[in-house]
């Protein structure tokens, strides 16, 4: 059985932004009722630290993936190391992986190639994927439809209609800090209407800090402000949301 509480399904806590005070950040998370943090390693140099944390404390899970924003800079050696990590049983998901046409429009085909290669590996390993999609919703959908896998649309920023389509493919929808931003109409609509059995929450820290801490460095403890906001929006008890989120997380990542 798993613990029920707030959880952060996407946190970059082994990145350089946390190198001076990670212990404090972890303690803050525990003090604020978090029961689980999925550590996302986009930089392969972060994996060893993440594995050490996960080995010593069941609060942590680890995911590793080659991010579309790094596609241009990756070498064969990076792929080999990623491939080795992907097989590690302590690494329970592949991500974040996907497409980013906001920052990189000139290497679309290469991004798709890297995305598909990692989806195929995840399928072979029977591990879910954590999907990054920025200004690339249609291509992301087409690829996920063709290459069937399971996973989560992280920091989802698309429409409710598209969210429904992703859930039909077997994907969960994870909402981050922007749902609390005043003018973010789309995430609010998704938060209100998406099937609660397909919903996850995350900080994507160190970025995208939710209200009322917008502008500060983000960290896992702030996920509770995202959860509280969604509970109020849906007019349900916080505990009910926690139960759903924890169940969804465990179905996706532990019983895949
Ligand atoms: Zn991320």
């Amino acid at each position: 059985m798993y613990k029920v509480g707030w959880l952060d399904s996407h946190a970059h806590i082994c990145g350089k932004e946390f190198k001076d005070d990670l212990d404090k950040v972890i303690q803050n998370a525990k003090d604020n009722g978090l029961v689980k943090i999925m550590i996302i390693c986009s930089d392969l140099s972060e994996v060893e630290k993440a594995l050490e944390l996960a080995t010593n404390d069941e609060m942590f899970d680890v995911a590793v993936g080659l991010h579309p924003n790094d596609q241009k800079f990756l070498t064969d050696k990076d792929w080999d190391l990623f491939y080795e990590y992907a097989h590690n049983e302590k690494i329970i998901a592949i991500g974040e992986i996907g497409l980013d046409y906001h920052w990189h429009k000139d290497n679309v085909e290469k991004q798709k190639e890297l995305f598909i290669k990692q989806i195929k590996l995840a399928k072979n390993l029977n591990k879910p994927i954590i999907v990054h999609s920025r200004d690339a919703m249609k291509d992301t959908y087409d690829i996920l439809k063709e290459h069937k896998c399971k996973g989560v649309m992280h920091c989802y920023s698309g429409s409710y209609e598209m969210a429904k389509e992703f859930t039909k493919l077997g994907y969960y929808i994870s909402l981050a800090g922007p749902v609390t931003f005043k003018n973010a109409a789309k995430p609010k609509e998704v938060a209100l209407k998406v099937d609660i059995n397909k919903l996850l929450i995350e900080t994507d820290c160190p970025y995208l800090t939710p209200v009322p801490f917008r502008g500060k460095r983000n960290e896992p403890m702030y996920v509770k402000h995202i959860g509280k906001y969604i509970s109020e929006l849906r007019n349900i008890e916080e505990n009910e949301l926690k139960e759903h989120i924890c169940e969804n997380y465990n179905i996706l990542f532990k019983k895949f």
Side-chain angles (χ1 to χ4, degrees):
M1 211 33 208
Y2 53 86
K3 287 183 196 160
V4 173
W6 290 126
L7 67 77
D8 186 351
S9 73
H10 193 113
H12 296 268
I13 56 168
C14 290
K16 56 183 182 314
E17 292 85 356
F18 295 105
K19 73 171 175 17
D20 295 329
D21 63 348
L22 183 56
D23 291 348
K24 174 86 173 39
V25 165
I26 291 169
Q27 195 55 49
N28 290 343
K30 293 187 180 206
D31 292 347
N32 281 274
L34 269 74
V35 292
K36 180 66 75 183
I37 296 173
M38 173 69 85
I39 306 173
I40 309 292
C41 303
S42 295
D43 192 319
L44 294 170
S45 68
E46 297 168 10
V47 180
E48 290 304 326
K49 178 71 190 166
L51 287 173
E52 184 194 317
L53 288 171
T55 302
N56 294 321
D57 189 337
E58 62 180 19
M59 183 185 197
F60 302 103
D61 287 327
V62 185
V64 62
L66 300 175
H67 197 286
N69 288 350
D70 297 327
Q71 185 278 325
K72 289 176 194 171
F73 316 107
L74 295 172
T75 63
D76 288 346
K77 242 173 104 183
D78 292 323
W79 174 265
D80 293 345
L81 183 56
F82 161 70
Y83 186 88
E84 194 185 316
Y85 280 138
H87 284 77
N88 186 318
E89 63 176 24
K90 278 254 166 238
I91 287 169
I92 65 164
I94 302 302
E96 56 191 284
I97 61 174
L99 304 173
D100 194 317
Y101 300 169
H102 180 80
W103 293 111
H104 301 278
K105 265 191 226 151
D106 56 336
N107 64 339
V108 164
E109 289 311 312
K110 291 267 182 213
Q111 286 190 44
K112 287 184 185 172
E113 208 177 282
L114 180 64
F115 186 25
I116 293 167
K117 206 169 154 189
Q118 292 182 94
I119 296 172
K120 287 181 174 168
L121 178 61
K123 277 169 72 172
N124 278 339
L125 296 168
N126 204 22
K127 293 182 184 184
I129 57 173
I130 296 166
V131 180
H132 172 103
S133 178
R134 191 153 182 210
D135 296 345
M137 213 50 94
K138 167 96 176 55
D139 284 359
T140 305
Y141 179 78
D142 289 345
I143 287 173
L144 294 179
K145 192 170 184 194
E146 188 185 341
H147 301 274
K148 296 195 177 12
C149 196
K150 277 187 186 165
V152 53
M153 299 298 299
H154 119 78
C155 196
Y156 183 74
S157 59
S159 67
Y160 168 63
E161 283 68 32
M162 277 308 292
K164 263 196 307 194
E165 297 305 314
F166 283 114
T167 60
K168 279 184 209 160
L169 293 182
Y171 285 82
Y172 288 74
I173 302 293
S174 183
L175 294 172
V179 73
T180 67
F181 298 174
K182 205 166 162 230
N183 296 322
K186 278 201 281 184
K188 289 187 207 300
E189 191 188 356
V190 173
L192 187 63
K193 293 184 182 168
V194 75
D195 179 357
I196 201 161
N197 297 311
K198 293 289 176 189
L199 181 64
L200 287 171
I201 54 175
E202 61 172 81
T203 58
D204 199 18
C205 62
Y207 308 112
L208 295 170
T209 315
V211 172
F213 298 101
R214 199 175 174 184
K216 283 182 66 175
R217 181 189 68 174
N218 201 359
E219 59 176 281
M221 70 167 163
Y222 294 141
V223 82
K224 72 175 185 184
H225 297 284
I226 299 166
K228 279 181 181 176
Y229 188 90
I230 296 174
S231 312
E232 281 169 24
L233 206 62
R234 294 185 76 119
N235 198 21
I236 57 172
E237 295 292 328
E238 282 176 30
N239 270 339
E240 191 184 339
L241 184 68
K242 284 177 192 170
E243 282 169 13
H244 279 290
I245 299 276
C246 288
E247 188 182 15
N248 296 344
Y249 183 96
N250 278 280
I251 291 172
L252 176 61
F253 292 116
K254 307 289 177 158
K255 299 174 199 159
F256 182 70

